[in-house]
Amino acid sequence: MGRDEREAAGRGARLCDAARNVVADHGRAVEAVRAALAPIHDAAVRRDLDAIPVTRLQDVTEGRLRLGSVEQSGLRTVGAVLDAGSYRLRQIPGVGQRTVDQMLAAARRLSDAVHETVAVHIDVDRPEPETTALVMALHVLVEAGPEARRAVDRAGALAGRLGPLLADAGPAAGWFRMLLAGREKKARAMAAVTEIRSLLDEAERAELPVLFAQASVDLLRGPSSDLAAWADFELRSADYYGLLAEISGRSPDTAAAEGFLPDEIAERVRTQRLDDSQRRVSLRGYQAFGARFALAQRNVILGDEMGLGKTIQAIAVLAHLAAEGRSHFMVVCPASVLVNWIREIEARSALRVLLLHGPDRRDGFADWKGRGGVAVTTFDALRGFPAPGGGEVGLFVVDEAHTVKNPKAKRSQAVAEWAERCERTLFMTGTPMENRVAEFRNLVGMLDRGVAQALDDGDALAGSVAFRKAVAPVYLRRNQQDVLTELPSLQRTDEWEELSAADEEAYREAVRAGNFMAMRRAAYACPERSAKLERLLEIVGEAGENGQKTVVFSYFKDVLQVVRAALADGTAVFGPLTGAVPAARRQRIVDEYAAAPGPAVLLAQIQAAGVGLNMQAASVVVLCEPQVKPTIEHQAVARAHRMGQVRPVRVHRLLATGGVDERLVRILERKTRLFDAYARRSAVAEATPDAIDVSDADLARRIVEEEQARLGLPVASATATATATATE
């Protein structure tokens, strides 16, 4: 046994220590979250128990308890009964020991149920010391990201393999120990050293030492301040709540998260491996199940309700297949979400992505054919591309698949041909299909003719259980109320749209005139060809399909009139609320909107309705354009995202690429997160949302001049028009 063996054993021991340190660092970070969560959770449990009337104990004991004397003694809630305890309860006239025992047992059963089901909600507008501590503890794990979790998993596995080998290789640590070892121990030590060398080589190839070192650094690095943690929480609240649900163990009901699939299909999906090496985002449990469903069943419809992350689940499937060696993928979607798909794939995966749109789409298609990647195109463009050979495309993704339900439409025929030739197909739609069996059968027929032929109109009439059982091999749908028990109450999405030719011409005219306000609303100048308006109608339509109310905000009165005119006949529309509507009348309009049965749309000028009105009936918020002052956006969103809101609020901000919106967003993002967080909590900012920032006019003038230069237009005076007010 020479120096090489001793060195190998030493390197193995150091790598094993590094692996164990990563696992320990992660464990400490998780324990910090649990410690911060405990008092908040206990307080939430206490509030719930104090709100449960003592009469509920009769329900638990099937009416066997007589509680009149207990209530008369002043113990009116389950929390009060638990606080009283056995001794005080026995002092109540007419209450014996048997009744006390039954009462406390029933109260403890209710307490246990509340402990299991109570959800902790983090109020970003009222940060308390306890919630601040929780956000800061979660921040460590969120900042460390999926790479740290991957490092922990690899470290645990490696330490498990190295530990026994290092024990066997003990004699190799020194020549004297080797000399004293018997023949069998020497042989075992030599074999262990050989295996350790193999593991070291494997670890070096996978760059595990670097991965472990970086993970430990990330897990030990805390936020620079509580404001930094709060600001990050607002930006990535979904990640925070996902971790919170995982660590607390209070995940949604398994059957609901798995879409109430039959046991045999659910078990097949659970055992499906999901490779995350090409993915840059963590998945919630139900999202991972959705990705596994698509992989295990091969040709499926993912019908999750809007807001559950269907795009992320699709990207997870793409990333898995890419890690397995598949090279070509195709995504087809409406033109209004092309840019979103490109940005999401770039941000959340390591995959190459190509946009096949516009006059160069055929050149892009040829490039994709030759080099591979994820091609993203529109339904109309897809018709111009030759269908692939069998097995050439690893996954064919169809977003907003309900738009190809008509088999006679050319876009539907093109999709059907591609689906037949691709190895796997994933249809995505947030529109519920349970009561549209004929349309649903057409979609299913593109994926599995056998299931489609077995599906008849009676399945839907028999109820959702019968329907889901009939379509389970190809269809998975989860609803928010079933799986978002700990989900963030606010989800923000930037909807990037490419201007249509008509939009572009209106925009150029506004830039030529140096009119900043006209530039901001140019995307609505030609309603019949407005890309933003088209996406807005899709969002409103999907919300309506799911029985949700929508509020649409714009800075401009004329934009709201355009939206009102474009909404489909039969849509319940309220407003617009503008500065010209008296304050008392504004609240009556909001009350009528809230009282309207089913879906409805409220139109509101952002300055007039962004402060003082409660719109918690709305669970979908659309911002027609970005605002110059971030506080105006935040306060408008807060009208819906406030106490009394029972569903998560989704905010869609409509943005146009390449022009004033992109420049405005980029400039505003340059402000530090800390300043932004502070400003949003400033009493002055909240009291005076319409206060004019002295830099607003300069900001507008600079954007106008930059756009004139970009478009090669003569510079016009922007002074008079850049600071135009919202009365336009």
Side-chain angles (χ1 to χ4, degrees):
M1 181 70 67
R3 180 184 299 174
D4 289 347
E5 286 74 16
R6 291 195 298 273
E7 184 180 332
R11 288 174 56 212
R14 289 191 294 275
L15 182 60
C16 189
D17 286 344
R20 287 169 175 164
N21 286 339
V22 170
V23 174
D25 293 338
H26 183 265
R28 282 190 289 271
V30 169
E31 283 306 313
V33 171
R34 290 194 176 118
L37 174 63
I40 302 173
H41 178 260
D42 290 347
V45 170
R46 181 71 212 193
R47 284 194 297 271
D48 279 11
L49 291 175
D50 286 342
I52 300 175
V54 72
T55 53
R56 282 287 305 279
L57 297 177
Q58 289 182 318
D59 300 334
V60 178
T61 60
E62 298 179 352
R64 292 194 300 271
L65 287 175
R66 296 179 180 178
L67 301 170
S69 58
V70 175
E71 285 189 279
Q72 291 171 8
S73 73
L75 303 179
R76 294 186 174 83
T77 69
V78 173
V81 168
L82 289 168
D83 284 345
S86 178
Y87 177 77
R88 183 181 171 191
L89 290 172
R90 285 202 308 270
Q91 310 309 308
I92 300 173
V95 176
Q97 186 62 50
R98 182 178 179 183
T99 299
V100 168
D101 291 343
Q102 290 178 331
M103 194 183 314
L104 286 175
R108 291 188 188 108
R109 285 174 60 189
L110 279 175
S111 177
D112 290 343
V114 172
H115 266 275
E116 289 297 318
T117 58
V118 71
V120 170
H121 295 287
I122 300 172
D123 189 346
V124 73
D125 295 318
R126 295 177 178 83
E128 301 289 341
E130 293 81 4
T131 53
T132 297
L134 177 59
V135 169
M136 293 181 73
L138 286 166
H139 178 84
V140 173
L141 291 165
V142 171
E143 274 290 281
E147 283 297 311
R149 185 54 187 267
R150 193 175 297 123
V152 171
D153 292 341
R154 299 290 294 273
L158 183 63
R161 296 172 67 185
L162 274 175
L165 292 173
L166 289 169
D168 287 343
W175 66 270
F176 187 71
R177 290 182 62 185
M178 196 67 173
L179 183 65
L180 296 178
R183 181 181 301 174
E184 184 178 338
K185 284 189 175 181
K186 287 179 181 178
R188 193 159 59 243
M190 293 297 290
V193 168
T194 300
E195 186 64 25
I196 288 170
R197 283 197 183 106
S198 176
L199 285 178
L200 287 170
D201 291 342
E202 182 182 317
E204 287 293 340
R205 287 194 298 272
E207 299 182 340
L208 293 187
V210 175
L211 181 66
F212 295 165
Q214 184 62 56
S216 282
V217 169
D218 291 340
L219 289 166
L220 294 172
R221 182 196 298 120
S224 57
S225 71
D226 57 349
L227 283 178
W230 276 112
D232 191 62
F233 172 77
E234 289 198 55
L235 292 172
R236 298 189 286 176
S237 57
D239 294 339
Y240 282 76
Y241 274 103
L243 272 171
L244 189 61
E246 180 183 334
I247 292 172
S248 67
R250 295 178 182 88
S251 300
D253 176 73
T254 300
E258 296 178 351
F260 303 100
L261 292 176
D263 290 342
E264 64 274 13
I265 295 178
E267 182 58 30
R268 184 185 316 129
V269 174
R270 291 184 206 116
T271 59
Q272 168 67 49
R273 188 178 69 88
L274 184 60
D275 192 303
D276 65 354
S277 59
Q278 297 291 308
R279 178 167 28 97
R280 295 175 179 153
V281 63
S282 297
L283 302 179
R284 301 221 35 179
Y286 73 87
Q287 292 172 336
F289 185 87
R292 289 188 171 95
F293 177 79
L295 289 166
Q297 299 299 102
R298 302 183 74 84
N299 297 297
V300 302
I301 300 173
L302 182 59
D304 287 346
E305 187 177 9
M306 184 170 63
L308 293 184
K310 293 188 289 293
T311 301
I312 291 175
Q313 295 175 66
I315 291 173
V317 178
L318 291 166
H320 172 93
L321 294 172
E324 287 194 335
R326 300 315 307 262
S327 59
H328 289 71
F329 310 97
M330 177 66 74
V331 175
V332 59
C333 60
S336 59
V337 294
L338 273 173
V339 178
N340 281 346
W341 268 101
I342 295 291
R343 294 186 179 219
E344 286 289 290
I345 294 171
E346 288 176 339
R348 300 178 184 275
S349 77
L351 305 180
R352 178 175 185 258
V353 59
L354 301 89
L355 176 62
L356 307 186
H357 186 54
D360 297 330
R361 60 183 179 274
R362 293 190 181 279
D363 291 339
F365 184 81
D367 180 42
W368 171 74
K369 289 276 287 186
R371 300 173 58 196
V374 184
V376 183
T377 192
T378 64
F379 291 101
D380 291 337
L382 185 74
R383 291 166 49 200
F385 300 142
E392 178 185 348
V393 176
L395 179 67
F396 178 45
V397 180
V398 181
D399 195 9
E400 306 291 349
H402 54 273
T403 62
V404 296
K405 60 184 179 291
N406 179 6
K408 296 181 180 179
K410 291 182 178 179
R411 65 164 50 184
S412 302
Q413 293 167 1
V415 166
E417 184 179 11
W418 273 73
E420 187 175 1
R421 302 247 188 138
C422 292
E423 187 173 327
R424 284 181 169 86
T425 297
L426 172 60
F427 283 3
M428 296 164 52
T429 175
T431 301
M433 303 296 294
E434 283 84 344
N435 296 317
R436 306 176 180 193
V437 177
E439 296 175 359
F440 188 82
R441 188 190 295 114
N442 294 334
L443 291 181
V444 174
M446 300 183 195
L447 305 174
D448 189 318
R449 291 190 180 90
V451 173
Q453 291 169 359
L455 187 64
D456 60 48
D457 295 344
D459 290 318
L461 297 176
S464 62
V465 174
F467 176 86
R468 292 194 178 202
K469 183 176 181 180
V471 301
V474 298
Y475 183 54
L476 177 67
R477 177 174 174 85
R478 281 78 57 91
N479 298 317
Q480 287 192 10
Q481 63 184 13
D482 292 330
V483 299
L484 301 195
T485 56
E486 302 261 1
L487 201 79
S489 55
L490 182 65
Q491 305 166 53
R492 299 176 185 268
T493 303
D494 281 345
E495 305 275 359
W496 288 96
E497 318 298 333
E498 284 192 293
L499 293 176
S500 67
D503 293 338
E504 190 72 48
E505 182 55 32
Y507 182 75
R508 289 180 67 89
E509 285 301 313
V511 174
R512 182 179 289 109
N515 190 328
F516 179 66
M517 291 301 188
M519 289 163 58
R520 291 182 61 199
R521 60 183 189 267
Y524 302 93
C526 300
E528 64 279 4
R529 289 172 288 176
S530 168
K532 275 194 180 184
L533 185 60
E534 181 181 354
R535 180 58 183 149
L536 186 152
L537 295 177
E538 290 172 356
I539 293 168
V540 171
E542 192 167 348
E545 292 284 357
N546 287 288
Q548 297 167 322
K549 287 182 166 68
T550 304
V551 58
V552 178
F553 286 111
S554 177
Y555 191 88
F556 306 100
K557 294 179 183 178
D558 52 358
V559 169
L560 295 175
Q561 294 296 347
V562 166
V563 173
R564 185 181 185 98
L567 289 170
D569 292 338
T571 302
V573 183
F574 296 82
L577 296 178
T578 69
V581 178
R585 176 57 182 155
R586 293 180 203 174
Q587 188 59 61
R588 285 199 298 273
I589 293 174
V590 172
D591 292 342
E592 292 165 3
Y593 162 75
V601 179
L602 175 64
L603 305 177
Q605 195 174 15
I606 199 163
Q607 314 89 292
V611 177
L613 296 176
N614 297 333
M615 303 174 180
Q616 57 262 43
S619 54
V620 178
V621 177
V622 180
L623 302 171
C624 291
E625 69 283 319
Q627 305 305 307
V628 176
K629 299 179 72 63
T631 49
I632 295 178
E633 274 191 21
H634 293 306
Q635 289 173 341
V637 171
R639 296 308 95 207
H641 176 224
R642 60 188 296 107
M643 188 177 296
Q645 176 59 255
V646 296
R647 303 193 67 182
V649 175
R650 293 188 305 280
V651 180
H652 301 265
R653 184 168 62 163
L654 303 179
L655 303 167
T657 59
V660 62
D661 288 2
E662 189 155 329
R663 289 184 181 276
L664 189 56
V665 168
R666 190 183 306 125
I667 289 171
L668 294 175
E669 284 177 348
R670 289 176 191 157
K671 295 182 178 181
T672 66
R673 289 181 180 179
L674 294 183
F675 176 80
D676 200 31
Y678 175 79
R680 282 199 293 275
R681 290 177 180 78
S682 163
V684 175
E686 297 206 6
T688 58
D690 294 325
I692 300 300
D693 188 327
V694 294
S695 66
D696 284 354
D698 292 335
L699 175 70
R701 188 179 301 107
R702 185 172 67 183
I703 292 176
V704 169
E705 291 172 353
E706 288 176 352
E707 283 300 279
Q708 288 173 339
R710 182 179 71 87
L711 297 176
L713 299 172
V715 176
S717 173
T719 304
T721 53
T723 56
T725 67
T727 57
E728 295 184 62

